[in-house]
Structures are given as structure tokens and as C-alpha cells.
Amino acid sequence: MRRKKKALNQRYNKLIKQAWDNEFILRRFQNMELRLMQCESLTELIQVLLIECKEKFELEIVSLSLFDPESELQQSLQLTDPIQKESFPHLSFDFDAGRHLKLFDANGSPRLCPYNPDLHADLFQHSSQPIKSIALLLLKRDTRIIGSLNLGDCKTDRFRSNSATDFLQHLGAVISVCIDMAILHDKLRNIGLKDVLTGINNRRYFDERLPEEISRSQRYKKPLSCLFIDVDHFKQFNDNYGHASGDQVLKQVAHIIRQNLRATDVLGRYGGEEFAVLLIETDAANARDVAERIRQNIQNHHIELEGKSIQITVSIGVSGYQQPVDTSQPVKAIGASLIATADGALYKAKQAGRNRVICGELSA
């Protein structure tokens, strides 16, 4: 009888411990879900998943793979909150949904299993410790694949195939909804960052990116240059051929400028017939070469207006920020100086006869 009572007590204590453990796990999952729902952009959501999730769940590594066959997500991120690869080494974009599906069963349930380097190595790169067990969460809405969240730990028994997956399955569903909502939020925001006429970014976008890129330039000790580009005699196009023709000129100039820039560079219509460019990790000397290439390509381009082949030219001012200038200066002041210097150089280019590139010297 005493032995039976002892066994019952042990079983009771075990059930109580399991209940408390489940309560703790539930609270941790609920807190994470609330944090995910508070995210206002895809970049913030990615940061929560890759950094905060790893810390709160005490995992060795968390990676996120997003299904992006048309590169729309990457373009959206580049437009709204540019993600630097060095900041998120565990984020990847996939062009093949089949790669995700082959890791899961037909129901897409979370997969908890030992780590297999032949199957999972590409999901868990850059880990400081050997991964022993993993949990893979398929992210999807109905039948649409969004990607997968991949949790890895160096403990062999952290994720076992016979473990209950209810919490993880619910978390995966919440993450999928949050990703969709964040993408929608970014798309709505992007509408306000685009120039309707030319299809490139507008001044608001440029002004938002400027302090970000200056901070990044300081952090990684890389140069940053700015171009101010103005269409020569633009008023004459409008006066002689009408505003519709002037619009065509702006569209074609914007297109040529964009063709001569890298994906990482920042291009915006700054106002009227003026365009602004940030050349990432580019010093003033190389920025001048880029500006000269843009100027020549625009000069060689002719636009057909009322049966006439009209030549277009631009004047370009260049300024460059290179460490060290004055590290005590606030980012806002450096940005203002970078713009003012490029704008002043542009003014000199127009005074000197237009259709030329002039570099200005950034004051300390």
C-alpha cells in the first residue's frame, strides 16, 4: 500500500511539473506572439525572429528562409528598410517552394528531428556550435508557401520527433500571418516613397535613407558619395514642346541614371528636374567617374519630340564623405553638408556652361 501511495505521489508530482512546464512554455510563446504582432515592418519582424526569438527560447541558432520567386520581398526591403547581409547572415531567400516542401510531411506539420548535415546544412550556416537537434516550421497561408523558420540547438534532446508540436504549429501560423501583414504594411508605405511620374523613389525616401547610409558609412568606415543631377534647359522643353514632352524627358533621364547605378545605390527624384543619388561605398574620385558616365550616356541619348530628334544634357555636382572628416559631427549635420556641397557643385557646373561634372569639397 505504501509503495502504491509513493508511486501515485511520484506520478502526481510529475504531472504537476509537466503542467507548470507547459504553463511556462505557453507564456513564453504568447509573449513572443504578442511581440511579433507589434512589428510594423518586415525588417522589424525579421529582427525579432532571428535575434529576439533566439535569445528568448535560448537556442543556438534561428534561421529564416523566405520564398521569393520574383525577388519582390528583396526589392521591398531594399526600398523601405534596406537589410545589410552582414546584419542578418541567417536570412535567405528561396526561389523554389519545393525545397521547403520536401522537408515536411503532406500536412506541413512542424518537423522535429536530429540534425542531418546532408539535409539541413544550408539552413543552419554560420553556427558557432555543432547543431544536434532541429525544429522546422513551415510558414504558409492556406496552400501558399511563405517560407520556413528553422530552430537549431546543440542539445540532442532539445527537439524530439515524438514531442508535442501544438505550440510550434500555432507559432508558425502566427508568424505566417504577421509576415503577410508586414509585407502589406511595407507595400502601403512604399506607395508614399515612389515618384509617380518616373517610377523611381522620391525625395522623402532619399531623405530617410541619407542618415541611415551615413551611419552605415561611419560604422563600417566606408566612403559615401552624393550626386545632384539637373536636366539642362528643362524649362525650354516645357515652353517649346509642352509639359507632356517635359514629362517624357524626365522619365527617360531617370531611366538612364538608374541603368548606370548598382542595386545598392540610392536614387531619388529630389524635385522638379533634379535627381539625387547616394553612391554606397564609393569615394569622390570614383563617384566622379560614375557621374561622367551618366552625363555621357544622357548626352548620347536623343528624344523624339514633334518629329525632331532632341539632345538632352545634364549638369552634375559631386560630393563625397570619407572617414575621417569629423567623427564628432552629428549625422544630420554631415547629411546637410553632403547635400549642400553637391548642390553647390551643381550650381558651379551650370554657371560654367552646363553639361559637365564638378566635384565639391566637403567641409570638415
Side-chain angles (χ1 to χ4, degrees), residues 71-84:
S71 299
E72 292 179 349
L73 292 182
Q74 296 174 75
Q75 292 171 11
S76 176
L77 287 168
Q78 186 63 31
L79 182 61
T80 51
D81 296 292
I83 283 185
Q84 306 302 330

